[in-house]
Amino acid sequence: MSVLTFDKKELENLEYSLQREMLATDRRGGYMSTTIVCCNTRKYHGLMVAPIDDSDRA
């Protein structure tokens, strides 16, 4: 697993922080995407998006 580290002074600068985004996946098709200060800046952001299991459909 990767670990991101940032200087606290950098995070206080909102203009800097809003340009830093992260994407985390669960290796099963779900993902979470946000900025490093947890502000959703895009239309397609999802706090947690998971695939629908439709294997039982005929």
Side-chain angles (χ1 to χ4, degrees), residues 9-20 35 37 39:
K9 291 291 184 188
E10 292 174 335
L11 296 178
E12 291 174 354
N13 181 352
L14 191 58
E15 185 176 335
Y16 170 85
S17 298
L18 290 177
Q19 295 177 8
R20 305 301 186 264
T35 62
V37 289
C39 291

Side-chain angles (χ1 to χ4, degrees), residues 6-57:
F6 296 95
D7 183 19
K8 187 175 180 179
K9 291 291 184 188
E10 292 174 335
L11 296 178
E12 291 174 354
N13 181 352
L14 191 58
E15 185 176 335
Y16 170 85
S17 298
L18 290 177
Q19 295 177 8
R20 305 301 186 264
E21 297 185 6
M22 64 180 176
L23 175 71
T25 64
D26 64 3
R27 298 183 182 183
R28 293 181 290 164
Y31 70 92
M32 183 270 312
S33 177
T34 189
T35 62
I36 61 173
V37 289
C38 299
C39 291
N40 298 333
T41 56
R42 298 178 184 255
K43 289 182 183 179
Y44 60 84
H45 272 289
L47 295 179
M48 182 59 185
V49 180
I52 298 173
D53 181 19
D54 60 352
S55 59
D56 61 338
R57 290 188 181 185

